[in-house]
Amino acid sequence: MKTSQLKKDLFYSSYLTLLLGLWSTALLAQTTLKLDHPTATYTVGETAQFELTTDQSGTAAYKFYTRTNGPILSSGTINVVAGNSISIPITLNEPGIVFCEVDINNVIPISAAIFSPYDIAPLESEPSDFDNFWQAAKNEIAAIPIDAQVTFERNNAYSTTYRVNLANINNRRVYGYLTVPNGSGPFPAVVKFPAFGDSPNLAGIGEDVAERTGALYFSMNIHNVEPDQSDPNAYEPNNLNDPNGVFYKTVVTAGIRVIDYLHTRSDFDGQNIGLLGESQGGGITLMVAGVDDRVDAIISSNPTHCQNLGFKYGKASGFGFFLNDSAPISHQQSVKYYDNMYFARRFKGTAWMMISYEDDVCPAATTFAAFNQLTGPKILTHSIDLKHVHPGQFWNERYAFFRRYLPTANPSDPNVGNELSYAVEAGVDQNISSGGQANLAATVINNSNTNPNIPVQWSKINGPGTINFGDAQNYSSTANFTEEGNYALQFAAEDTELINSNPPQYFTYFDAVNVTAGNCTDDDGDGICANQDCDDGNENIPALPGTDCDDGNPDTENDVILANGCSCQGTPIVNCMDNDGDGLCADQDCDDGNPNLPALPGTDCDDGNPNTPNDVIQADGCTCEGTSTNDPTVCDVEISLGNGTITVSGMDEPIFRLEVFNQFWSETFFECYWDNCPTNTTISNLETGTYVVKVQSFTASWSAVCDFVEYVNVVNTGGPCTDNDGDGVCADQDCNDENENIPTTPGTDCDDGNPETENDVILANGCSCEGTPITSCTDNDGDGVCADQDCNDENENIPTTPGTDCDDGNPETENDVILVNGCSCEGTPINTGEPNCDNVQFDGSNNQLTISGLTAPIEIIRVRNSQWQEVFSCIGNCENPIALSNLSAGLYRIQIQMYTENWSPICYKETETTVSDATASNRNQEVAYLPTMQIFPNPAEERVNIYISDYGENPVQLTILNQLGKVMLQQDNALATNNGRATIDLQDFTNGLYFVQLRTNGRQLMTQKLLVARLY
């Protein structure tokens, strides 16, 4: 099979990691890996204990590492005994995060511990002209007229939405949706940036934020097309040789342009601006907030573009993974202008950031590096067990955050409360006399609870002397200073109220206050006392190291401020021979007869060899080299499939990387790197399923040749075998190797050849066909059930479908329904108290499971069989009761989570129950009553087919919900017009996880998951 080269290797971002987050509990529920400290936070040099608990016995292999696919810190094996816990220790001697991965019988839990996170710092200083570079970009966009083009899109009772596009630099446009809440205004404004990708509608209409916040809401697309279209040139052009050529420059100027446009609107209040985004959107949020001082408050979840040079130092680097370990110097310099550590330190407003400790897309070690640079009030949500998933607060409490920090916000939806979110305030700046005392008073507000009883800490950020606090662990304290001067004091509070929630998380709150101790002289007014100011006549000194300056020496050039922030020094001007006049001395010029060399790597050139096309300058800036037309490229790699095998051949480039994953990219089956990949590689012993083959190749000088991904379907029949009927089942395992339709699904109609039986169906073994004897019997109510088998032979409506409404005659029960035996009517006790997981009841008779007592406003229910396979789930849309039919007899595990209307946790419970087998007659009746649903393809891209077998005559309602329980599509009886089949167009669905639900006569039949995942 010949592979085709994809245009680019796009990452599965939040939509896939959300799916993995939802499924991880089911996959690893019997094996857990937890830290001995509930916050998973340690100090450098402290030992973290990873505690492994499993129901398996044997040898487990473990390894520690600080970044995915990075070097292994240590590894080993341990012997585990089912039911016993064992600790695996690790110590980190520098600030950062360490992952622990354990493999026991192919069950591989992963957990992460972080060490001294608030000490994680940038690995390099920022470019000396960082501010000049971005000021030039701001000047560039300011010189272009806004040219706003606004058209009506839609409206509802509480808001109106417009489609907007604006002029940007490089002849590009900024596209998006503006939603205006109803009301007289003026309103504050919120700008939303999208997650990574180029699928349509990543920048969606934000009526919910506009209406619940009471703000103008601009959802911005970063590509050069309308927000409901896909850009064929997404993320292009992108030239890492020049900081002005990096794609994200136009994204930042687009964000600035949106703010420009908002300031032209009469319904904007003129001053209150908020930004938000998750993943890439969170990264852009920090960028725009760092260069545009009109921004007041931001929300950023797991932001990208942090510690861009991490790979250079063997450490983690955040998405977009600009650089490999040996990137050219020009690339390294360019991406420093797009590192959020340097943007963050320039934002002075209030910031709320979310960091997931197990994130392998935006590793926590990188996002902490940016968080630590924020200087204003800041709130941090620590998500201990999440990967690249954004916690519920990002979606549910963003409204309350902006209502607090954008003072003119007022919801247009009258059904929304006016609650305000978290807040932290260290107090006001102070000036005290020499030897005086500063009185400190900080405030934290959490869910309207002022100064909760949580640990707090005052500490010194900087200043000339020592600070003696009266009580450093109290909201109110005093501070005395040993020397006169300017001091910055930090207040921090840690809230672990939700540390035992699912998933576990906690919060920290930070703010700072400045105190000037003593009547110090400050002639230049830069806020630094003369006795601490290296130049008290120049308000620009001290300055950031690397800032341009003039040392007054005409014999030096490239003058910059040195590391002490005060001294200005240049490098000597050297007079040397320069034959080609390119500014390089002959002894440093690789070709002093050619002013065009050295040149940027990747520049077109001619190596003089007619057999090598695509000639470009190599990484040294001098050598010109092309690719040989006689050598095969990675685009010619062959992928062939065998019985449980994948063979990749033709890997003839000097440098290769080959990886094989499962279809969700969550498990690696094979990998080889760089110069140790054989030309022909076979991966064996694979189970039947879909796999991802990812291949990258490079020239000997590390110039990229190709990079592509191929999905392949592997079939493992267990070895060569006879298969006479060609149904894919070996003869020695096929109960009828002359009939391609056997084996088949139990319950399928068949003919057992016996005229004295009826209701013939395939039995549970998938092979045998058997009916029930035709019996002449008494049937008083004429319902077709013999009196000796009819639980009520005077009522033709009994027996009936389980879950049918009825009346059990008991005034102390509610939600009365027919039970799984089809006869008994029973309700659940009327519960006048608060919802409680312990009030949930289960009935598991006759191959059916009924779950009742679900009385909370919001519930998440998951049911798994004894093999930990999920057979049912509902998220926020659960029925009461839930009736599940056609279950195999055996043990089932049930997970229950209850929440308030605002998604505050009420309770969490995991329990087990047993489903018993039914009689043959009951089984036959159930086959007639209940349909089955098939969804294909799944994952889906542009459309999905839904098929219901045993459709019957009852009207079936089809509903598709997103992961927050919001109804995305509903068809009341569309399936009836096409024999139980429906094709759904997914063009309005963004990438992510959805739930397909069937209901009939108001009763939920079943729910299945649908993943929408586009790779373009």
Side-chain angles (χ1 to χ4, degrees):
M1 168 172 53
K2 184 77 68 173
T3 61
S4 58
Q5 180 184 8
L6 295 180
K7 181 177 181 180
K8 59 175 67 70
D9 175 19
L10 294 178
F11 284 86
Y12 282 88
S13 58
S14 57
Y15 64 93
L16 272 184
T17 50
L18 171 63
L19 175 63
L20 297 177
L22 290 173
W23 286 350
S24 60
T25 301
L27 295 175
L28 303 178
Q30 295 173 288
T31 298
T32 60
L33 188 63
K34 301 291 185 182
L35 275 302
D36 61 334
H37 194 288
T39 65
T41 305
Y42 304 83
T43 58
V44 166
E46 187 178 0
T47 298
Q49 299 284 351
F50 287 87
E51 297 177 344
L52 176 68
T53 303
T54 179
D55 64 348
Q56 303 183 56
S57 297
T59 300
Y62 68 86
K63 60 182 178 181
F64 292 106
Y65 50 89
T66 58
R67 63 181 174 103
T68 303
N69 295 328
I72 303 301
L73 297 180
S74 63
S75 61
T77 60
I78 52 176
N79 293 321
V80 296
V81 178
N84 293 343
S85 296
I86 189 169
S87 295
I88 312 172
I90 187 68
T91 300
L92 204 62
N93 293 318
E94 62 178 354
I97 197 157
V98 60
F99 294 87
C100 179
E101 179 179 310
V102 180
D103 186 342
I104 176 169
N105 299 329
N106 294 321
V107 176
I108 307 177
I110 299 175
S111 188
I114 198 157
F115 292 78
S116 301
Y118 304 118
D119 294 332
I120 298 176
L123 296 169
E124 290 192 3
S125 59
E126 65 185 32
S128 60
D129 63 342
F130 185 92
D131 289 318
N132 292 337
F133 175 86
W134 284 109
Q135 185 58 54
K138 292 165 68 175
N139 294 342
E140 190 176 354
I141 185 64
I144 299 172
I146 295 176
D147 187 26
Q149 299 177 19
V150 183
T151 57
F152 173 82
E153 182 71 16
R154 71 188 195 196
N155 62 3
N156 61 37
Y158 306 124
S159 66
T160 301
T161 297
Y162 302 90
R163 189 181 290 250
V164 180
N165 75 78
L166 316 165
N168 194 8
I169 65 173
N170 298 347
N171 294 318
R172 295 172 66 92
R173 304 288 296 181
V174 185
Y175 297 88
Y177 296 110
L178 174 69
T179 301
V180 180
N182 290 354
S184 57
F187 305 101
V190 175
V191 182
K192 169 70 162 59
F193 303 108
F196 183 83
D198 64 348
S199 300
N201 300 312
L202 278 175
I205 295 175
E207 293 164 332
D208 56 337
V209 181
E211 295 164 5
R212 297 186 183 192
T213 302
L216 304 176
Y217 183 80
F218 197 109
S219 179
M220 191 190 91
N221 186 22
I222 67 169
H223 300 300
N224 201 35
V225 295
E226 293 284 354
D228 54 358
Q229 298 177 9
S230 179
D231 186 357
N233 298 309
Y235 297 99
E236 299 292 345
N238 188 38
N239 177 15
L240 296 185
N241 292 315
D242 178 4
N244 281 295
V246 176
F247 169 78
Y248 284 95
K249 178 183 176 181
T250 63
V251 177
V252 176
T253 58
I256 295 170
R257 175 44 38 102
V258 170
I259 297 174
D260 292 340
Y261 165 67
L262 291 170
H263 275 269
T264 69
R265 294 185 60 92
S266 61
D267 51 4
F268 173 54
D269 68 11
Q271 57 183 356
N272 293 296
I273 293 278
L275 309 180
L276 82 156
E278 76 281 4
S279 190
Q280 173 189 261
I284 300 170
T285 291
L286 288 171
M287 291 180 185
V288 176
V291 299
D292 196 322
D293 58 11
R294 294 173 291 181
V295 179
D296 302 288
I298 63 173
I299 305 177
S300 174
S301 181
N302 295 312
T304 59
H305 301 86
C306 300
Q307 205 75 282
N308 286 338
L309 293 181
F311 287 165
K312 176 180 177 182
Y313 296 89
K315 298 181 182 296
S317 177
F319 183 92
F321 306 127
F322 284 121
L323 308 175
N324 58 34
D325 294 15
S326 56
I329 295 296
S330 60
H331 292 195
Q332 296 180 27
Q333 295 303 317
S334 292
V335 301
K336 291 176 71 173
Y337 292 90
Y338 298 88
D339 200 311
N340 270 320
M341 299 179 298
Y342 311 135
F343 290 104
R345 64 175 50 152
R346 289 165 167 78
F347 177 59
K348 308 303 180 185
T350 301
W352 183 10
M353 188 181 288
M354 291 81 164
I355 296 179
S356 298
Y357 282 15
E358 296 181 13
D359 193 336
D360 56 0
V361 175
C362 300
T366 69
T367 47
F368 265 107
F371 177 82
N372 293 338
Q373 299 300 307
L374 293 166
T375 59
K378 55 187 180 181
I379 302 163
L380 177 60
T381 299
H382 306 251
S383 301
I384 299 170
D385 286 353
L386 293 185
K387 296 185 183 298
H388 192 58
V389 180
H390 312 285
Q393 284 82 7
F394 179 82
W395 310 105
N396 302 323
E397 298 187 18
R398 49 194 167 151
Y399 322 109
F401 177 85
F402 287 125
R403 286 198 296 263
R404 176 177 293 280
Y405 292 105
L406 305 180
T408 55
N410 185 26
S412 63
D413 184 347
N415 302 309
V416 174
N418 217 2
E419 297 84 1
L420 305 179
S421 75
Y422 313 105
V424 57
E425 172 61 59
V428 297
D429 294 344
Q430 302 180 42
N431 291 283
I432 62 173
S433 61
S434 178
Q437 176 176 280
N439 294 313
L440 308 175
T443 302
V444 168
I445 300 177
N446 180 355
N447 295 328
S448 301
N449 181 14
T450 301
N451 289 0
N453 184 22
I454 58 177
V456 303
Q457 182 70 49
W458 288 95
S459 61
K460 171 187 168 183
I461 300 176
N462 55 52
T466 301
I467 304 177
N468 297 312
F469 292 99
D471 184 354
Q473 298 179 341
N474 201 316
Y475 287 99
S476 298
S477 184
T478 58
N480 296 91
F481 307 86
T482 59
E483 297 182 30
E484 293 185 351
N486 293 320
Y487 294 82
L489 287 65
Q490 176 175 271
F491 170 78
E494 183 175 283
D495 182 357
T496 58
E497 179 183 359
L498 298 180
I499 197 65
N500 294 318
S501 62
N502 185 23
Q505 57 189 3
Y506 71 102
F507 303 83
T508 50
Y509 312 88
F510 298 90
D511 194 18
V513 63
N514 296 308
V515 177
T516 300
N519 297 317
C520 69
T521 302
D522 180 12
D523 293 332
D524 56 10
D526 61 1
I528 302 175
C529 296
N531 61 350
Q532 301 170 34
D533 196 332
C534 52
D535 187 346
D536 199 38
N538 185 347
E539 62 182 3
N540 297 316
I541 299 294
L544 289 172
T547 302
D548 291 338
C549 61
D550 182 0
D551 65 0
N553 184 348
D555 294 326
T556 62
E557 59 184 353
N558 303 318
D559 304 345
V560 294
I561 298 294
L562 300 186
N564 61 12
C566 298
S567 305
C568 179
Q569 184 175 307
T571 56
I573 298 174
V574 178
N575 295 317
C576 63
M577 184 178 296
D578 180 11
N579 296 317
D580 56 10
D582 60 1
L584 290 177
C585 296
D587 59 353
Q588 299 177 8
D589 194 331
C590 54
D591 187 345
D592 200 39
N594 185 348
N596 297 317
L597 289 180
L600 290 173
T603 302
D604 291 338
C605 61
D606 183 0
D607 65 359
N609 185 346
N611 295 320
T612 57
N614 304 318
D615 302 345
V616 293
I617 298 296
Q618 302 300 302
D620 61 2
C622 296
T623 305
C624 179
E625 184 178 301
T627 55
S628 173
T629 58
N630 298 320
D631 293 336
T633 68
V634 73
C635 296
D636 292 326
V637 163
E638 294 283 346
I639 299 178
S640 57
L641 305 179
N643 186 11
T645 66
I646 300 173
T647 299
V648 184
S649 57
M651 294 189 292
D652 298 324
E653 290 295 331
I655 302 173
F656 262 90
R657 179 175 184 177
L658 170 64
E659 298 169 280
V660 178
F661 306 90
N662 66 1
Q663 64 176 321
F664 301 115
W665 298 72
S666 60
E667 182 177 359
T668 303
F669 291 88
F670 179 83
E671 56 186 352
C672 64
Y673 294 92
W674 316 142
D675 57 353
N676 66 343
C677 286
T679 300
N680 300 314
T681 299
T682 298
I683 301 95
S684 304
N685 300 320
L686 299 174
E687 297 180 356
T688 297
T690 301
Y691 294 84
V692 183
V693 180
K694 176 177 172 60
V695 181
Q696 297 171 284
S697 73
F698 306 83
T699 66
S701 56
W702 283 93
S703 294
V705 177
C706 266
D707 186 347
F708 70 85
V709 172
E710 183 80 9
Y711 283 76
V712 297
N713 295 312
V714 174
V715 176
N716 191 332
T717 64
C721 65
T722 302
D723 181 11
N724 296 318
D725 56 8
D727 61 359
V729 182
C730 296
D732 59 354
Q733 300 176 16
D734 194 331
C735 50
N736 187 341
D737 200 37
E738 303 301 324
N739 185 345
E740 64 182 3
N741 297 317
I742 299 295
T744 189
T745 307
T748 302
D749 291 339
C750 61
D751 184 358
D752 65 2
N754 185 349
E756 297 181 358
T757 61
E758 60 184 353
N759 302 319
D760 304 346
V761 293
I762 298 295
L763 299 187
N765 61 11
C767 298
S768 304
C769 178
E770 187 176 304
T772 55
I774 299 174
T775 305
S776 299
C777 63
T778 302
D779 179 12
N780 295 318
D781 55 10
D783 61 1
V785 182
C786 296
D788 59 353
Q789 299 178 14
D790 194 331
C791 52
N792 188 339
D793 200 37
E794 303 301 324
N795 186 345
E796 62 183 4
N797 296 318
I798 299 293
T800 189
T801 307
T804 301
D805 292 339
C806 61
D807 183 359
D808 66 359
N810 184 351
E812 297 181 358
T813 62
E814 60 184 351
N815 303 317
D816 303 346
V817 293
I818 297 296
L819 300 187
V820 292
N821 60 12
C823 298
S824 305
C825 178
E826 187 174 305
T828 56
I830 297 175
N831 182 10
T832 57
E834 295 294 327
N836 192 314
C837 294
D838 292 331
N839 292 336
V840 178
Q841 300 175 344
F842 312 94
D843 183 351
S845 57
N846 295 338
N847 293 104
Q848 305 199 41
L849 174 60
T850 301
I851 305 174
S852 57
L854 305 176
T855 58
I858 301 172
E859 290 126 346
I860 298 177
I861 309 296
R862 294 188 176 92
V863 180
R864 303 179 179 93
N865 62 19
S866 60
Q867 303 302 313
W868 292 94
Q869 297 170 322
E870 186 166 280
V871 298
F872 172 82
S873 68
C874 59
I875 300 179
N877 61 333
C878 304
E879 298 287 325
N880 182 26
I882 295 170
L884 308 179
S885 303
N886 284 351
L887 299 179
S888 300
L891 180 70
Y892 286 79
R893 297 174 169 90
I894 304 169
Q895 182 187 80
I896 304 166
Q897 301 173 66
M898 292 188 176
Y899 299 84
T900 66
E901 292 179 351
N902 297 320
W903 284 89
S904 296
I906 297 174
C907 61
Y908 175 87
K909 181 178 182 179
E910 292 188 6
T911 188
E912 297 178 348
T913 191
T914 300
V915 173
S916 63
D917 203 356
T919 63
S921 61
N922 281 343
R923 282 200 300 270
N924 293 334
Q925 291 174 21
E926 289 160 9
V927 169
Y929 286 137
L930 295 171
T932 59
M933 176 168 58
Q934 298 178 13
I935 299 176
F936 56 93
N938 193 6
E941 295 184 11
E942 299 304 325
R943 61 188 57 83
V944 66
N945 301 295
I946 299 173
Y947 171 68
I948 303 176
S949 64
D950 299 314
Y951 178 71
E953 298 180 355
N954 291 331
V956 174
Q957 182 187 71
L958 170 68
T959 304
I960 301 180
L961 308 99
N962 65 13
Q963 65 267 22
L964 300 179
K966 180 180 178 180
V967 174
M968 307 299 295
L969 177 144
Q970 191 168 82
Q971 296 182 353
D972 288 336
N973 204 21
L975 293 161
T977 63
N978 197 21
N979 296 321
R981 300 175 188 267
T983 298
I984 306 300
D985 190 336
L986 299 176
Q987 66 175 1
D988 293 331
F989 286 64
T990 59
N991 286 335
L993 180 66
Y994 297 86
F995 299 89
V996 181
Q997 181 186 92
L998 298 182
R999 300 166 61 91
T1000 183
N1001 296 329
R1003 182 171 65 88
Q1004 179 174 316
L1005 295 177
M1006 63 191 68
T1007 299
Q1008 288 191 22
K1009 293 176 181 176
L1010 165 64
L1011 177 64
V1012 177
R1014 303 179 183 91
L1015 292 178
Y1016 52 85

